[in-house]
């Protein structure tokens, strides 16, 4: 075990260790989800650009009425 973990266990501060581990895991999951969301937004943006390019080539763009 690391020195930090041994120090916490020796003082009987297990609740603080568990809280720290929970906060670290939650923060890691949040960062991972934000990265995945950013990647999904980039993929969706690329998809919309391709649809717009297809519509321009086919001449099916919006004419306003």
């Amino acid at each position: 075990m690391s020195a930090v973990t041994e120090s916490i266990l020796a003082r009987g501060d297990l609740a603080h260790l568990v809280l720290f581990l929970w906060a670290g895991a939650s923060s890691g999951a949040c960062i991972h989800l934000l990265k995945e969301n950013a990647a999904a937004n980039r993929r969706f943006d690329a998809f919309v650009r391709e649809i717009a390019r297809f519509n321009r080539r086919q001449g099916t763009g919006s004419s306003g009425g």
Side-chain angles (χ1 to χ4, degrees), residues 9-34:
L9 290 176
R11 292 190 296 156
D13 233 356
L14 189 58
H16 285 105
L17 176 63
V18 171
L19 182 61
F20 173 74
L21 292 174
W22 175 82
S26 297
S27 297
C30 184
I31 289 170
H32 175 71
L33 289 174
L34 287 172

Side-chain angles (χ1 to χ4, degrees), residues 41-51 53:
N41 285 340
R42 283 191 299 272
R43 289 190 301 268
F44 183 72
D45 188 48
F47 172 74
V48 170
R49 277 196 310 267
E50 289 297 321
I51 293 295
R53 186 173 16 187

Side-chain angles (χ1 to χ4, degrees), residues 50-64:
E50 289 297 321
I51 293 295
R53 186 173 16 187
F54 174 79
N55 285 339
R56 281 193 305 270
R57 272 193 239 145
Q58 299 300 318
T60 58
S62 175
S63 62

